[in-house]
């Protein structure tokens, strides 16, 4: 497999059926091998299947809150539903949940170039106990504490996890299997780009490559690409 970026060529002899998908990028293969050598679990085991709670995107729930109701977040705002309406993932209702949009932002980033940098995901959001959402959002994981949820958000917006996710995308839709190379970490700790690079022993060339093609996500600003 030969990749060419400008004047630079990267050649590697490898098995094309090593993974369930074909990873085109040779540098990505090197990074994936390092991730897999240190990780035993991956986020594809924890991300929910589509439509986490059984409510389609058009569902709005009741306009008015009622006793013991749950908040239903949709693209149209907030409605209210009964707990007994939940048909999936009921064990996560009373936990903190981290979500992203179910599609890659900017219409799948089809017009984005490496020089511009890729986002891959919308800005993650944290929802608390008794808050659920429609099919418009993906449930990435649930947590017992807000600290764990916040640490996970810091991890998933880092460049390396999004780079790993990008290697599996074949359309503008994101599914749980796309997280097959994203490692599960200890969520009691917070991580940033440099700490992840060091933990997984990335070379300077590998770090530079990830840095060049992945755009930072700033949680303090609304980029206009959140939905």
């Amino acid at each position: 497999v030969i990749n060419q970026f400008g004047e630079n060529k990267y050649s590697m002899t490898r098995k094309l059926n090593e993974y369930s998908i074909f990873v085109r990028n040779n540098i990505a293969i090197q990074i994936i091998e390092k991730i897999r050598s240190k990780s035993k679990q991956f986020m594809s085991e924890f991300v929910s299947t589509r439509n986490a709670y059984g409510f389609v995107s058009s569902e709005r729930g009741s306009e008015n809150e009622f006793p013991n109701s749950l908040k239903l977040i949709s693209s149209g705002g907030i409605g209210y539903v009964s707990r007994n309406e939940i048909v999936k993932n009921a064990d996560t209702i009373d936990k903190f949940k981290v979500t992203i949009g179910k599609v890659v932002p900017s219409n799948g980033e089809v017009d984005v170039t490496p020089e511009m940098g890729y986002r891959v995901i919308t800005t993650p959001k944290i929802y608390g106990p008794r808050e659920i959402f429609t099919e418009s959002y993906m449930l990435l994981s649930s947590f017992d504490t807000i600290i764990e949820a916040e640490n996970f958000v810091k991890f998933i917006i880092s460049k390396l996890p999004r780079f790993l996710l990008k290697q599996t995308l074949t359309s503008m839709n994101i599914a749980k299997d796309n997280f097959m190379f994203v490692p599960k970490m200890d969520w009691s700790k917070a991580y940033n780009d440099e700490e992840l690079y060091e933990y997984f022993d990335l070379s300077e060339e590998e770090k530079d490559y990830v840095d060049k093609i992945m755009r930072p996500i700033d949680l303090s600003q609304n980029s206009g690409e959140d939905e």
Side-chain angles (χ1 to χ4, degrees), residues 2-175:
I2 300 174
N3 302 143
Q4 182 161 350
F5 306 100
E7 298 298 321
N8 300 317
K9 287 187 178 181
Y10 299 88
S11 178
M12 180 184 291
T13 300
R14 53 187 173 97
K15 295 180 179 179
L16 301 185
N17 63 350
E18 184 174 7
Y19 302 111
S20 59
I21 60 165
F22 173 59
V23 179
R24 296 172 59 188
N25 189 293
N26 290 331
I27 298 179
I29 287 289
Q30 296 172 186
I31 295 173
I32 288 168
E33 289 174 350
K34 290 184 176 182
I35 302 293
R36 289 172 60 86
S37 71
K38 296 201 69 169
S39 301
K40 302 302 181 186
Q41 290 184 298
F42 296 85
M43 287 307 301
S44 55
E45 302 173 43
F46 303 93
V47 173
S48 174
T49 54
R50 191 167 181 170
N51 197 353
Y53 294 102
F55 294 99
V56 297
S57 298
S58 59
E59 178 65 56
R60 295 294 181 262
S62 171
E63 292 185 6
N64 300 312
E65 192 172 2
F66 53 88
N68 300 315
S69 61
L70 307 176
K71 282 186 179 180
L72 177 69
I73 292 91
S74 70
S75 58
I78 296 176
Y80 299 91
V81 296
S82 171
R83 186 182 289 261
N84 60 21
E85 294 180 67
I86 310 306
V87 297
K88 299 163 63 178
N89 294 305
D91 58 320
T92 69
I93 293 174
D94 297 310
K95 295 187 176 184
F96 295 90
K97 284 82 66 176
V98 176
T99 73
I100 58 172
K102 65 179 180 180
V103 299
V104 178
S106 301
N107 296 315
E109 297 191 311
V110 292
D111 296 323
V112 175
T113 63
E115 294 77 19
M116 297 168 62
Y118 297 94
R119 274 182 66 96
V120 180
I121 62 172
T122 61
T123 302
K125 294 181 172 65
I126 298 175
Y127 294 112
R130 302 180 67 82
E131 294 180 331
I132 60 172
F133 34 86
T134 69
E135 188 182 15
S136 296
Y137 306 95
M138 284 190 71
L139 173 60
L140 298 187
S141 198
S142 60
F143 307 88
D144 292 327
T145 68
I146 186 64
I147 296 297
E148 292 174 302
E150 291 172 342
N151 287 343
F152 176 78
V153 167
K154 292 173 184 175
F155 166 81
I156 203 64
I157 66 166
S158 297
K159 292 179 179 179
L160 183 58
R162 291 185 289 124
F163 173 82
L164 295 166
L165 176 58
K166 185 180 184 327
Q167 307 313 308
T168 70
L169 295 174
T170 57
S171 74
M172 64 186 296
N173 295 300
I174 305 175

